[in-house]
Amino acid sequence: MTGPHPADPAAARPRPDAPAPGSPGSPGSPGPLAGLRVLDLATLFAGPLAATMLGDFGAEVIKVEHPRRPDPARGHGPAKDGIGLWWKLLGRNKKTITLDLSTPGGREVLLRLAAETDVIIENFRPGTLEKWDLAWTELAAVNPRLVLARVTGFGQFGPYAHRPGFGTLAEAMSGFAAITGQPDGPPTLPPFGLADSIAALATSYAVMAALRGRETTGRGQVVDMAIIEPMLTVLGPQPLWYDQLGYVQERTGNRSANNAPRNTYRTADGSWVAVSTSAQSIAERVLRLVGRPELIDEPWFATGAGRARHAEELDTAVGDWIARHDRAEVLAGFEKAEAAIAPVYDIRDVMADEQYQALGSLTDVPDDELGTVRMQNVLFRLSETPGAIHWAGRAHGADTDEVLTGLGMTGPEIAGLRAAGAL
């Protein structure tokens, strides 16, 4: 137990009478991307999450799934009454249709949709769209202003391009796993889709850059996003270190090779806190707080690297003090000293935290199947054109007839496609 865990999730809800400036908008907000149409052809996480982020800020997102093989994300993780909860987050703000792109009818419908679409996001293995006669040349022929975002494990070319690619592989190949974990333990993978999520952020940014480019050239383009690359980017200067110094970063657990003290420490009441001292002034404040000011005068204390070489001594000084106080006392002491600390939360603590409440970071979303579900809010606040969540992930194919009717297709045409297995 690391803090208050309200039995009623409503206890963690933001105060509706005190919206912060720039808070996420109400479901009536059009959003800054209103007028953009996005086709989400991707499955699982990186591509679909990028589409979710665009939908959160007003884009019309149409999720295209195979009629008989829905996005596997619908079945990932815990479910309630047989309804996958992860999908409720990943599928929010998306209309859902079914379409078998490998059939002539499905191809024709996609081309008709592409003609009226700004962005297509897909994550098939390279060559798959081409096999279905839906290559970039065919898509651009019906809509020269289209942006096609292709999200794959290894990119569209190179010796690994046709391998199956998942975020786990990117976490391994980027160097992330090699530096994560205890020094005497194995490389450690994250217990969630880290590489996929970072690739989703990068993809949404790439799409916006491509759309901005379209304003200049009048033409769309292809975004080639390899999941291994954003993960490599966020790891920082490792290539530079190796190129210039031959330095290879090793696993250091919770410690840092660049500063100390930096670790997690257990309090007297069994909670955990995380301390960071990246700034010299913060390191000095921490050592004064814990009653070890004499360490500040040591020559090695003057640099982060010097402190890191004495991490054992500094961890003992800080850890012993924290172990004698309960979490509330530790947090209050650090706050008074203007030193950097945070409690180590699990999701129950996150739901109850007053800062998340003040920001509106979690919100209630209406859902056709479960009534109301609580999930993360839109990613950031815009003061004039905020994003908003209109609905949670909808049932498989729920909007097929509506979307196709909007293309001018008649009831008999839609029925014929369905009978042929294209829908």
Side-chain angles (χ1 to χ4, degrees):
M1 301 281 286
T2 57
H5 303 137
D8 180 3
R13 293 174 185 171
R15 298 187 304 277
D17 58 338
S23 291
S26 69
S29 302
L33 301 184
L36 286 177
R37 172 178 276 183
V38 177
L39 295 185
D40 173 9
L41 310 186
T43 56
L44 291 173
F45 305 112
L49 183 55
T52 301
M53 293 172 180
L54 299 174
D56 283 351
F57 287 89
E60 178 194 14
V61 180
I62 299 174
K63 173 72 175 181
V64 179
E65 297 176 84
H66 192 280
R68 294 162 294 280
R69 296 190 299 276
D71 188 330
R74 290 181 179 271
H76 267 59
K80 180 180 180 181
D81 300 331
I83 300 168
L85 298 178
W86 202 331
W87 169 251
K88 292 301 176 184
L89 175 68
L90 193 63
R92 71 188 192 189
N93 287 337
K94 298 179 183 181
K95 298 176 181 178
T96 63
I97 70 170
T98 58
L99 204 58
D100 185 347
L101 303 181
S102 68
T103 65
R107 175 184 180 274
E108 179 60 30
V109 171
L110 185 74
L111 289 173
R112 291 178 66 170
L113 281 168
E116 301 179 11
T117 289
D118 297 282
V119 180
I120 292 178
I121 300 175
E122 63 96 1
N123 71 338
F124 302 109
R125 288 199 209 183
T128 301
L129 284 184
E130 289 77 5
K131 179 178 66 176
W132 296 334
D133 293 327
L134 289 170
W136 169 242
T137 52
E138 281 81 18
L139 295 170
V142 300
N143 184 357
R145 292 174 56 81
L146 180 68
V147 170
L148 174 63
R150 314 193 75 170
V151 185
T152 57
F154 304 105
Q156 293 296 308
F157 57 91
Y160 304 161
H162 287 83
R163 292 182 181 179
F166 297 99
T168 297
L169 308 188
E171 289 148 9
M173 288 183 60
S174 63
F176 171 83
I179 64 170
T180 304
Q182 295 301 318
D184 57 351
T188 302
L189 296 167
F192 67 102
L194 178 61
D196 281 309
S197 299
I198 293 172
L201 286 164
T203 301
S204 61
Y205 167 66
V207 164
M208 297 309 300
L211 290 172
R212 178 66 180 91
R214 187 176 73 174
E215 294 180 14
T216 303
T217 67
R219 301 186 305 276
Q221 58 186 300
V222 177
V223 172
D224 180 4
M225 178 62 65
I227 296 175
I228 58 174
E229 291 182 307
M231 194 69 189
L232 177 62
T233 296
V234 301
L235 288 176
Q238 286 195 42
L240 271 168
W241 288 341
Y242 182 73
D243 175 63
Q244 296 296 306
L245 302 171
Y247 172 73
V248 178
Q249 186 174 346
E250 298 178 348
R251 290 189 291 284
T252 55
N254 290 326
R255 289 177 174 170
S256 168
N258 304 309
N259 66 82
R262 191 261 197 184
N263 213 326
T264 57
Y265 306 91
R266 194 166 191 173
T267 63
D269 55 355
S271 298
W272 290 87
V273 294
V275 173
S276 176
T277 58
S278 295
Q280 179 71 21
S281 59
I282 298 294
E284 293 175 4
R285 290 172 194 167
V286 170
L287 270 295
R288 291 191 184 98
L289 171 64
V290 302
R292 297 296 303 276
E294 75 280 2
L295 293 176
I296 298 172
D297 297 326
E298 294 288 346
W300 49 262
F301 196 90
T303 67
R307 296 197 308 275
R309 288 192 293 270
H310 290 78
E312 194 71 39
E313 184 175 0
L314 292 171
D315 272 347
T316 298
V318 175
D320 286 352
W321 184 88
I322 288 176
R324 296 194 300 269
H325 301 81
D326 63 31
R327 188 176 78 168
E329 293 171 334
V330 170
L331 296 177
F334 269 73
E335 183 172 357
K336 184 177 180 181
E338 297 184 358
I341 193 171
V344 176
Y345 278 173
D346 64 22
I347 190 57
R348 294 168 295 183
D349 303 305
V350 170
M351 300 286 272
D353 182 82
E354 61 184 359
Q355 182 62 29
Y356 283 122
Q357 291 180 33
L359 294 173
S361 304
L362 298 156
T363 190
D364 293 325
V365 178
D367 180 66
D368 292 340
E369 296 174 299
L370 298 176
T372 300
V373 294
R374 193 159 179 76
M375 64 177 65
Q376 300 94 319
N377 213 328
V378 299
L379 192 58
F380 48 85
R381 287 161 290 281
L382 296 178
S383 62
E384 300 299 325
T385 55
I389 304 171
H390 302 274
W391 61 81
R394 290 167 57 74
H396 182 228
D399 305 288
T400 302
D401 286 15
E402 175 193 332
V403 171
L404 269 56
T405 300
L407 287 176
M409 298 182 71
T410 65
E413 284 182 288
I414 296 171
L417 287 168
R418 190 165 277 124
L423 301 182

PDB file of all heavy atoms in Angstrom, residues 346-361:
ATOM      1  N   ASP A 346       1.186   3.360  -7.562  1.00  0.00           N
ATOM      2  CA  ASP A 346       0.523   2.418  -8.444  1.00  0.00           C
ATOM      3  C   ASP A 346      -0.726   3.128  -8.960  1.00  0.00           C
ATOM      4  O   ASP A 346      -0.978   4.298  -8.632  1.00  0.00           O
ATOM      5  CB  ASP A 346       0.219   1.080  -7.749  1.00  0.00           C
ATOM      6  CG  ASP A 346      -0.758   1.196  -6.589  1.00  0.00           C
ATOM      7  OD1 ASP A 346      -1.535   2.184  -6.535  1.00  0.00           O
ATOM      8  OD2 ASP A 346      -0.766   0.283  -5.735  1.00  0.00           O
ATOM      9  N   ILE A 347      -1.519   2.465  -9.791  1.00  0.00           N
ATOM     10  CA  ILE A 347      -2.613   3.158 -10.457  1.00  0.00           C
ATOM     11  C   ILE A 347      -3.665   3.660  -9.466  1.00  0.00           C
ATOM     12  O   ILE A 347      -4.341   4.662  -9.704  1.00  0.00           O
ATOM     13  CB  ILE A 347      -3.257   2.266 -11.548  1.00  0.00           C
ATOM     14  CG1 ILE A 347      -4.222   3.070 -12.408  1.00  0.00           C
ATOM     15  CG2 ILE A 347      -3.927   1.050 -10.939  1.00  0.00           C
ATOM     16  CD1 ILE A 347      -3.606   4.282 -13.090  1.00  0.00           C
ATOM     17  N   ARG A 348      -3.801   3.001  -8.307  1.00  0.00           N
ATOM     18  CA  ARG A 348      -4.762   3.474  -7.310  1.00  0.00           C
ATOM     19  C   ARG A 348      -4.359   4.853  -6.804  1.00  0.00           C
ATOM     20  O   ARG A 348      -5.205   5.733  -6.610  1.00  0.00           O
ATOM     21  CB  ARG A 348      -4.848   2.469  -6.160  1.00  0.00           C
ATOM     22  CG  ARG A 348      -5.427   1.116  -6.560  1.00  0.00           C
ATOM     23  CD  ARG A 348      -5.226   0.079  -5.472  1.00  0.00           C
ATOM     24  NE  ARG A 348      -3.806  -0.212  -5.255  1.00  0.00           N
ATOM     25  CZ  ARG A 348      -3.361  -1.121  -4.397  1.00  0.00           C
ATOM     26  NH1 ARG A 348      -4.216  -1.825  -3.667  1.00  0.00           N
ATOM     27  NH2 ARG A 348      -2.064  -1.338  -4.264  1.00  0.00           N
ATOM     28  N   ASP A 349      -3.060   5.054  -6.601  1.00  0.00           N
ATOM     29  CA  ASP A 349      -2.580   6.355  -6.149  1.00  0.00           C
ATOM     30  C   ASP A 349      -2.754   7.413  -7.230  1.00  0.00           C
ATOM     31  O   ASP A 349      -3.106   8.559  -6.949  1.00  0.00           O
ATOM     32  CB  ASP A 349      -1.094   6.255  -5.770  1.00  0.00           C
ATOM     33  CG  ASP A 349      -0.833   5.214  -4.710  1.00  0.00           C
ATOM     34  OD1 ASP A 349      -1.456   5.292  -3.644  1.00  0.00           O
ATOM     35  OD2 ASP A 349      -0.003   4.301  -4.946  1.00  0.00           O
ATOM     36  N   VAL A 350      -2.483   7.024  -8.473  1.00  0.00           N
ATOM     37  CA  VAL A 350      -2.656   7.968  -9.575  1.00  0.00           C
ATOM     38  C   VAL A 350      -4.089   8.469  -9.618  1.00  0.00           C
ATOM     39  O   VAL A 350      -4.354   9.672  -9.763  1.00  0.00           O
ATOM     40  CB  VAL A 350      -2.283   7.292 -10.911  1.00  0.00           C
ATOM     41  CG1 VAL A 350      -2.680   8.169 -12.099  1.00  0.00           C
ATOM     42  CG2 VAL A 350      -0.789   6.984 -10.962  1.00  0.00           C
ATOM     43  N   MET A 351      -5.047   7.549  -9.473  1.00  0.00           N
ATOM     44  CA  MET A 351      -6.461   7.932  -9.549  1.00  0.00           C
ATOM     45  C   MET A 351      -6.872   8.884  -8.434  1.00  0.00           C
ATOM     46  O   MET A 351      -7.825   9.646  -8.584  1.00  0.00           O
ATOM     47  CB  MET A 351      -7.332   6.678  -9.495  1.00  0.00           C
ATOM     48  CG  MET A 351      -7.081   5.686 -10.620  1.00  0.00           C
ATOM     49  SD  MET A 351      -7.728   6.190 -12.218  1.00  0.00           S
ATOM     50  CE  MET A 351      -9.396   5.548 -12.141  1.00  0.00           C
ATOM     51  N   ALA A 352      -6.147   8.861  -7.311  1.00  0.00           N
ATOM     52  CA  ALA A 352      -6.515   9.689  -6.161  1.00  0.00           C
ATOM     53  C   ALA A 352      -5.669  10.953  -6.027  1.00  0.00           C
ATOM     54  O   ALA A 352      -5.970  11.800  -5.198  1.00  0.00           O
ATOM     55  CB  ALA A 352      -6.384   8.863  -4.871  1.00  0.00           C
ATOM     56  N   ASP A 353      -4.634  11.100  -6.838  1.00  0.00           N
ATOM     57  CA  ASP A 353      -3.675  12.187  -6.652  1.00  0.00           C
ATOM     58  C   ASP A 353      -4.269  13.551  -6.995  1.00  0.00           C
ATOM     59  O   ASP A 353      -4.915  13.720  -8.038  1.00  0.00           O
ATOM     60  CB  ASP A 353      -2.440  11.932  -7.519  1.00  0.00           C
ATOM     61  CG  ASP A 353      -1.391  13.008  -7.338  1.00  0.00           C
ATOM     62  OD1 ASP A 353      -0.633  12.928  -6.360  1.00  0.00           O
ATOM     63  OD2 ASP A 353      -1.356  13.951  -8.167  1.00  0.00           O
ATOM     64  N   GLU A 354      -4.014  14.534  -6.139  1.00  0.00           N
ATOM     65  CA  GLU A 354      -4.625  15.851  -6.299  1.00  0.00           C
ATOM     66  C   GLU A 354      -4.066  16.615  -7.497  1.00  0.00           C
ATOM     67  O   GLU A 354      -4.762  17.453  -8.091  1.00  0.00           O
ATOM     68  CB  GLU A 354      -4.457  16.679  -5.019  1.00  0.00           C
ATOM     69  CG  GLU A 354      -3.028  16.939  -4.617  1.00  0.00           C
ATOM     70  CD  GLU A 354      -2.931  17.672  -3.282  1.00  0.00           C
ATOM     71  OE1 GLU A 354      -3.997  17.980  -2.701  1.00  0.00           O
ATOM     72  OE2 GLU A 354      -1.801  17.948  -2.828  1.00  0.00           O
ATOM     73  N   GLN A 355      -2.815  16.365  -7.884  1.00  0.00           N
ATOM     74  CA  GLN A 355      -2.273  17.061  -9.059  1.00  0.00           C
ATOM     75  C   GLN A 355      -2.914  16.544 -10.335  1.00  0.00           C
ATOM     76  O   GLN A 355      -3.294  17.326 -11.215  1.00  0.00           O
ATOM     77  CB  GLN A 355      -0.753  16.891  -9.116  1.00  0.00           C
ATOM     78  CG  GLN A 355      -0.100  17.627 -10.293  1.00  0.00           C
ATOM     79  CD  GLN A 355      -0.293  19.134 -10.241  1.00  0.00           C
ATOM     80  OE1 GLN A 355      -0.422  19.717  -9.158  1.00  0.00           O
ATOM     81  NE2 GLN A 355      -0.352  19.770 -11.396  1.00  0.00           N
ATOM     82  N   TYR A 356      -3.048  15.221 -10.452  1.00  0.00           N
ATOM     83  CA  TYR A 356      -3.748  14.679 -11.614  1.00  0.00           C
ATOM     84  C   TYR A 356      -5.198  15.171 -11.651  1.00  0.00           C
ATOM     85  O   TYR A 356      -5.752  15.461 -12.722  1.00  0.00           O
ATOM     86  CB  TYR A 356      -3.727  13.147 -11.590  1.00  0.00           C
ATOM     87  CG  TYR A 356      -2.406  12.530 -12.005  1.00  0.00           C
ATOM     88  CD1 TYR A 356      -1.708  11.683 -11.143  1.00  0.00           C
ATOM     89  CD2 TYR A 356      -1.866  12.783 -13.256  1.00  0.00           C
ATOM     90  CE1 TYR A 356      -0.506  11.105 -11.521  1.00  0.00           C
ATOM     91  CE2 TYR A 356      -0.665  12.211 -13.644  1.00  0.00           C
ATOM     92  CZ  TYR A 356       0.015  11.375 -12.778  1.00  0.00           C
ATOM     93  OH  TYR A 356       1.207  10.803 -13.166  1.00  0.00           O
ATOM     94  N   GLN A 357      -5.823  15.281 -10.484  1.00  0.00           N
ATOM     95  CA  GLN A 357      -7.190  15.793 -10.430  1.00  0.00           C
ATOM     96  C   GLN A 357      -7.252  17.228 -10.912  1.00  0.00           C
ATOM     97  O   GLN A 357      -8.139  17.617 -11.675  1.00  0.00           O
ATOM     98  CB  GLN A 357      -7.737  15.676  -9.007  1.00  0.00           C
ATOM     99  CG  GLN A 357      -7.992  14.252  -8.551  1.00  0.00           C
ATOM    100  CD  GLN A 357      -8.526  14.191  -7.132  1.00  0.00           C
ATOM    101  OE1 GLN A 357      -9.245  15.074  -6.693  1.00  0.00           O
ATOM    102  NE2 GLN A 357      -8.157  13.146  -6.407  1.00  0.00           N
ATOM    103  N   ALA A 358      -6.292  18.045 -10.456  1.00  0.00           N
ATOM    104  CA  ALA A 358      -6.282  19.450 -10.848  1.00  0.00           C
ATOM    105  C   ALA A 358      -6.101  19.614 -12.361  1.00  0.00           C
ATOM    106  O   ALA A 358      -6.706  20.490 -12.991  1.00  0.00           O
ATOM    107  CB  ALA A 358      -5.166  20.189 -10.108  1.00  0.00           C
ATOM    108  N   LEU A 359      -5.278  18.768 -12.951  1.00  0.00           N
ATOM    109  CA  LEU A 359      -5.028  18.838 -14.386  1.00  0.00           C
ATOM    110  C   LEU A 359      -6.148  18.215 -15.216  1.00  0.00           C
ATOM    111  O   LEU A 359      -6.223  18.433 -16.421  1.00  0.00           O
ATOM    112  CB  LEU A 359      -3.712  18.114 -14.726  1.00  0.00           C
ATOM    113  CG  LEU A 359      -2.424  18.741 -14.187  1.00  0.00           C
ATOM    114  CD1 LEU A 359      -1.239  17.817 -14.463  1.00  0.00           C
ATOM    115  CD2 LEU A 359      -2.182  20.110 -14.799  1.00  0.00           C
ATOM    116  N   GLY A 360      -7.012  17.442 -14.581  1.00  0.00           N
ATOM    117  CA  GLY A 360      -8.028  16.717 -15.338  1.00  0.00           C
ATOM    118  C   GLY A 360      -7.420  15.613 -16.173  1.00  0.00           C
ATOM    119  O   GLY A 360      -7.907  15.295 -17.271  1.00  0.00           O
ATOM    120  N   SER A 361      -6.365  14.979 -15.676  1.00  0.00           N
ATOM    121  CA  SER A 361      -5.627  13.980 -16.446  1.00  0.00           C
ATOM    122  C   SER A 361      -6.417  12.701 -16.685  1.00  0.00           C
ATOM    123  O   SER A 361      -6.100  11.927 -17.592  1.00  0.00           O
ATOM    124  CB  SER A 361      -4.324  13.626 -15.716  1.00  0.00           C
ATOM    125  OG  SER A 361      -3.556  14.781 -15.469  1.00  0.00           O
TER     126      SER A 361
END
